[in-house]
Amino acid sequence: MSLVEINFDGIVGPSHNYAGLSLGNIASASHKGDTSYPRAAALQGIAKIRSNMALGLAQGFLLPLPRPNGDLIRGLAIDENTPRQLLAAAWSASSMWTANAATVSPAPDTADGRCHLTPANLVTMPHRAQEWQDTQAQLAIAFGDEEHFTIHDAILPAFGDEGAANHMRFCEGHDAKGVEVFVWGNQGGKFPARQHEQASRAIARLHGLDPAKCVFIEQNPEAIKAGAFHNDVVSVANERVLFTHERAFADQQGAYEAIREAFPALEVVEVPESAVSLEEAIRTYLFNAQLLTLPSGEMALVVPSECQESATVWAWCESMLASNGPIRKVIPVDVRQSMANGGGPACLRLRVVADPATVDQRFMLDEAKAQRIEAVVAEMWPKTIDPQDIGSEALAVRVIEAREALLSVLSLDSLA
């Protein structure tokens, strides 16, 4: 069996809008009430996927969830007198950020030699707490081969879990046994800490991980206060490399030591506050990047184009490349529609180490399938959505028909 890292990107849904539902997500809050561009957003995401495929990387996708969510509307008895935010929650396209879909432990790390996936309960935010059952249904098809995969239920909602956005893995190669790092936050600050320590520890037990190969680290409360609502806004890992801001963790040096004790080959690429402030790193999403191993063995960092437009961030990237460190390429991509709602390249993908042949092939991307997805998006996705349009019956019909058209061309009508 040939294990490789597959990035599963979320296709941006036809109801993509800017309702500002995510407390602590500064980009989302700052664009609340703006007109969104669902068609452009989805096409930007597909262009990023194509770019990664062109680099020779294995690529999959996950589909938008059913919206508007009739179960949520009925369950909360939403009517014309209900606060608009609850109505907007039922329309949210936030499942596009598949870094929050699940936590994934590859087969080399687990006691039973299968890849384990636990959907995130996402209980901190109502617009996301509705997702996990529909996400699990999709994962159960994509990773339905029980010889190679195990899909769990979400963690008890008493403990918030936000999935792979707060999880990192270190290894000599993706197919080798790794060390899994879980980053959690303490409650009580200006913004909610979304990842509970006990959720992370429960997932490690559920997945049958070796306790000696697990590290649990507290996120820096200052980072959460500054808008790093997930660890992947201030840190990203790949194989031996941790790319991180100096202020990512509550005890920065202690975090490095704990990881290095479990994984001695650790290479840290730290961006100091003096070079790029925490606030500028969060504004540009320098760390919400895809850190990838190319077929050549070189590492590349796929960053939002906002990084290239920031003088301090881009100067640091250029100095990093000149230093001959482990990250050899920086590749900007345009995901502005996602960025305006608080999600960069890393938010848009779930990393799964697996043999592509064991995945349901309907979820693996090739050029022909990319063209079919693009054609449906170009024809069916709304060009614009104004927040005042949310709740419109005509828009609901259009959004539902657009998603069903996509499921049809991908032979996944069972998810309708």
Side-chain angles (χ1 to χ4, degrees):
M1 188 165 65
S2 177
L3 300 180
V4 299
E5 182 179 81
I6 311 167
N7 283 283
F8 286 84
D9 275 57
I11 304 297
V12 179
S15 66
H16 166 66
N17 68 91
Y18 297 139
L21 300 176
S22 192
L23 180 65
N25 183 330
I26 292 171
S28 172
S30 65
H31 289 275
K32 180 180 180 179
D34 289 358
T35 297
S36 66
Y37 296 83
R39 187 183 305 169
L43 293 175
Q44 285 173 2
I46 296 165
K48 178 183 84 75
I49 298 172
R50 283 181 178 278
S51 173
N52 284 352
M53 283 200 305
L55 294 172
L57 301 168
Q59 185 69 55
F61 59 88
L62 294 176
L63 295 158
L65 302 185
R67 295 293 180 267
N69 184 351
D71 289 341
L72 184 67
I73 291 171
R74 289 185 291 271
L76 294 177
I78 293 172
D79 59 21
E80 65 275 6
N81 299 313
T82 305
R84 287 284 298 177
Q85 282 200 311
L86 289 180
L87 176 64
W91 287 69
S92 175
S94 53
S95 66
M96 62 196 263
W97 295 302
T98 59
N100 304 118
T103 303
V104 184
S105 294
D109 298 357
T110 66
D112 64 5
R114 291 186 288 181
C115 177
H116 286 245
L117 300 96
T118 296
N121 61 34
L122 299 167
V123 294
T124 307
M125 299 292 159
H127 69 291
R128 303 223 62 182
Q130 63 182 315
E131 291 179 15
W132 83 260
Q133 292 94 337
D134 286 325
T135 296
Q136 184 187 53
Q138 198 166 160
L139 297 176
I141 298 174
F143 308 107
D145 183 342
E146 294 183 2
E147 181 182 350
H148 298 103
F149 300 99
T150 296
I151 313 292
H152 299 276
D153 286 342
I155 295 298
L156 184 74
F159 305 116
D161 171 38
E162 300 271 324
N166 296 301
H167 174 260
M168 300 183 289
R169 180 173 185 259
F170 296 93
C171 52
E172 292 288 357
H174 293 305
D175 58 351
K177 186 175 179 64
V179 168
E180 300 196 20
V181 176
F182 298 82
V183 183
W184 53 275
N186 254 324
Q187 297 296 338
K190 176 183 177 183
F191 296 133
R194 302 190 188 185
Q195 187 70 30
H196 196 289
E197 180 182 2
Q198 293 308 319
S200 295
R201 292 186 181 276
I203 289 169
R205 294 191 296 271
L206 273 173
H207 290 192
L209 303 181
D210 179 352
K213 298 293 184 182
C214 294
V215 181
F216 299 89
I217 295 172
E218 182 186 350
Q219 189 176 4
N220 187 349
E222 292 181 1
I224 297 173
K225 183 179 179 180
F229 52 98
H230 294 134
N231 175 65
D232 68 1
V233 178
V234 283
S235 288
V236 62
N238 182 58
E239 294 186 338
R240 303 177 315 280
V241 176
L242 170 62
F243 178 53
T244 183
H245 194 272
E246 179 184 19
R247 297 170 63 195
F249 309 117
D251 177 0
Q252 197 80 12
Q253 295 307 314
Y256 298 159
E257 290 168 9
I259 298 170
R260 191 167 277 120
E261 183 177 350
F263 186 72
L266 176 69
E267 296 181 48
V268 177
V269 179
E270 182 186 87
V271 179
E273 175 78 14
S274 59
V276 178
S277 70
L278 180 62
E279 290 72 20
E280 184 69 356
I282 292 171
R283 187 188 72 77
T284 60
Y285 273 26
L286 169 61
F287 297 97
N288 196 248
Q290 290 183 261
L291 185 55
L292 303 162
T293 302
L294 304 178
S296 65
E298 287 185 315
M299 280 197 200
L301 190 70
V302 177
V303 300
S305 53
E306 284 81 352
C307 290
Q308 196 170 21
E309 295 160 8
S310 165
T312 55
V313 169
W314 199 245
W316 193 89
C317 288
E318 290 182 324
S319 69
M320 176 188 70
L321 294 177
S323 72
N324 204 33
I327 302 172
R328 303 308 313 138
K329 292 183 178 180
V330 178
I331 304 170
V333 294
D334 179 5
V335 287
R336 292 181 190 276
Q337 281 290 305
S338 177
M339 285 284 288
N341 235 351
C347 282
L348 287 162
R349 61 90 176 96
L350 181 69
R351 305 161 87 169
V352 181
V353 172
D355 182 344
T358 63
V359 177
D360 187 307
Q361 293 303 295
R362 289 174 291 180
F363 289 88
M364 295 298 298
L365 198 67
D366 57 26
E367 179 57 31
K369 208 171 294 181
Q371 289 179 10
R372 292 205 298 275
I373 293 171
E374 279 183 330
V376 172
V377 167
E379 180 184 354
M380 304 289 289
W381 259 231
K383 184 176 181 181
T384 62
I385 293 181
D386 186 277
Q388 277 62 51
D389 297 334
I390 298 300
S392 153
E393 184 175 343
L395 181 60
V397 168
R398 184 169 185 187
V399 165
I400 291 167
E401 288 181 346
R403 178 177 177 272
E404 289 181 350
L406 181 61
L407 296 179
S408 180
V409 300
L410 297 170
S411 301
L412 284 163
D413 305 82
S414 62
L415 290 169

